[in-house]
Amino acid sequence: MRRLINCVDMESTWMKDIMPGLFPHYLRIVNKPLLEYFIDFCALNKIVDIRIVKSDPTSEMENYFNTGPQKGFNLSYVMGRANDSLGKVVLKNSNFCSDTDLLIINGLFFLNYHKDKIDPSVLERTEPASMYGGAKEDIYFIPKNRKFSEIDFANSQRFFPDLDITKLESVQDYYNLSMRILKENQDDYFLPGYNNKPGEFIGRNVTFNSHRSVFKKPFMIGNDVQFYEDCHILENSIIGNHVIIDAHSTTKDCIIYDQTYLGSCLEIEKKIIYRNHLIDGISGEYINIIDQFFVSKINKILENELFKFTQKILALLGLIIGFIPFIIGMLLKPLSKIMFDKT
């Protein structure tokens, strides 16, 4: 069996407004891209040949999944257009889709499943050209040798009665899903980070600059994160990758997205921070933060730190160069004294 994932950038206005520059299927849900949950679902159903139809012209997706050999997948990528119907997408990829059973995932939504309760044989028992979902959230099973031109995708019958989906039509949907997974369903999925204790997920290269910081479960910390003095990371905090939390700041029931600097002495609760957007997870309202001492993209902070570091190195080199004549003079002084005594 093969799988076709149609993840072209369709109707995701809320993301374009609140999370500009983020391709929808790269959306990190509990520090893991939405698309990776789909691929995990493939693996659990013993599907290894996967084609991803995308509209993002960059190679970010390919770089992240690295074509899949480390996980045993055969991943391929093709470009698609948002105005193409699903039938047209399938016909364009008929060389990949024919001669085998096919599972199609189409749209922006989250699959609710339990990694230990997947039964791959369910796919073999489904009705031909059956479907689960609606106009924007579809999962289809198509048996091999079926003529794609004869399939009415819009009117197919539902299947997978035990499979549920969560719509992602607003920032509130995203926030509620993230909180639910961390609080109630963390054992259902393969989540990133070390998980030696229940409710604790800690990534690589996490630096704690003080022993006085407080961490309360459940929480998730990504890779390359720095915590300064007296931080309080309280229940249901999701901290992304490459994040700096400055001294005396508190987070609770919140999502701090990747590449973020959070300033000192702040209390962030029931909020999402994406770049310099402070988003209310309950109402969906957001504001653009201009003050970089409050919150900013991490690269600006790192640029400033690199500039300061470079200044220090140059100052040190200048000091060393300034001492060179003095050192040479000190070395030559005994030699000149010996020569003077001989004369």
Side-chain angles (χ1 to χ4, degrees), residues 269-331:
E269 183 173 354
K270 297 182 180 179
K271 298 291 189 295
I272 303 168
I273 295 180
Y274 175 80
R275 296 184 178 176
N276 58 339
H277 283 185
L278 182 64
I279 308 161
D280 191 298
I282 306 301
S283 69
E285 297 178 352
Y286 68 97
I287 58 174
N288 187 21
I289 304 298
I290 300 176
D291 189 351
Q292 293 185 8
F293 288 98
F294 177 81
V295 60
S296 66
K297 286 187 67 177
I298 197 71
N299 60 344
K300 293 185 179 296
I301 302 300
L302 294 179
E303 286 170 4
N304 292 336
E305 293 298 323
L306 180 61
F307 178 72
K308 294 177 182 178
F309 178 74
T310 304
Q311 283 185 319
K312 291 178 181 179
I313 293 296
L314 291 176
L316 180 61
L317 288 174
L319 187 63
I320 293 173
I321 293 172
F323 267 99
I324 288 177
F326 175 76
I327 295 171
I328 293 175
M330 292 296 292
L331 293 174

Side-chain angles (χ1 to χ4, degrees), residues 61-292:
M61 187 181 295
E62 292 90 325
N63 292 338
Y64 180 84
F65 291 109
N66 194 24
T67 68
Q70 74 280 7
K71 293 185 178 180
F73 299 131
N74 298 315
L75 293 180
S76 60
Y77 305 87
V78 295
M79 294 298 296
R81 298 191 303 179
N83 58 352
D84 282 350
S85 66
L86 181 57
K88 191 171 184 179
V89 170
V90 173
L91 286 174
K92 285 183 176 180
N93 293 274
S94 58
N95 61 327
F96 173 81
C97 300
S98 59
D99 301 325
T100 182
D101 293 340
L102 179 68
L103 181 68
I104 301 175
I105 291 185
N106 176 60
L108 183 68
F109 57 93
F110 185 81
L111 276 172
N112 301 308
Y113 60 87
H114 194 297
K115 66 180 188 294
D116 299 324
K117 298 179 181 180
I118 293 289
D119 181 7
S121 65
V122 170
L123 291 177
E124 301 173 1
R125 301 193 300 268
T126 55
E127 294 296 325
S130 54
M131 176 268 282
Y132 178 91
K136 298 179 183 178
E137 308 90 14
D138 304 326
I139 306 171
Y140 297 88
F141 171 75
I142 302 175
K144 63 182 178 180
N145 300 324
R146 180 70 185 268
K147 292 183 179 181
F148 299 122
S149 58
E150 298 176 354
I151 299 174
D152 183 1
F153 286 99
N155 297 308
S156 298
Q157 298 299 313
R158 295 189 174 207
F159 82 108
F160 280 172
D162 296 328
L163 182 63
D164 187 26
I165 64 173
T166 296
K167 295 184 178 182
L168 293 172
E169 297 180 338
S170 68
V171 69
Q172 292 97 324
D173 291 342
Y174 166 62
Y175 175 80
N176 292 333
L177 172 64
S178 300
M179 293 295 109
R180 174 172 62 81
I181 291 176
L182 184 61
K183 290 189 289 186
E184 303 171 12
N185 302 108
Q186 56 185 249
D187 294 329
D188 293 3
Y189 308 97
F190 299 107
L191 298 182
Y194 296 105
N195 182 219
N196 294 329
K197 298 179 181 179
E200 296 184 6
F201 297 87
I202 301 177
R204 302 184 304 272
N205 302 323
V206 176
T207 303
F208 305 94
N209 293 313
S210 170
H211 295 293
R212 294 193 298 173
S213 293
V214 175
F215 295 84
K216 291 188 177 181
K217 300 183 291 185
F219 63 83
M220 172 169 283
I221 301 171
N223 301 326
D224 303 304
V225 178
Q226 293 187 50
F227 296 98
Y228 285 87
E229 182 180 2
D230 198 23
C231 293
H232 285 65
I233 308 303
L234 304 183
E235 300 90 343
N236 310 316
S237 293
I238 301 173
I239 312 297
N241 301 318
H242 309 288
V243 171
I244 294 177
I245 308 294
D246 217 331
H248 310 293
S249 284
T250 299
T251 65
K252 182 180 180 182
D253 298 310
C254 68
I255 303 170
I256 312 296
Y257 216 80
D258 296 359
Q259 304 285 340
T260 298
Y261 165 77
L262 183 65
S264 60
C265 302
L266 300 176
E267 293 185 7
I268 305 298
E269 183 173 354
K270 297 182 180 179
K271 298 291 189 295
I272 303 168
I273 295 180
Y274 175 80
R275 296 184 178 176
N276 58 339
H277 283 185
L278 182 64
I279 308 161
D280 191 298
I282 306 301
S283 69
E285 297 178 352
Y286 68 97
I287 58 174
N288 187 21
I289 304 298
I290 300 176
D291 189 351
Q292 293 185 8

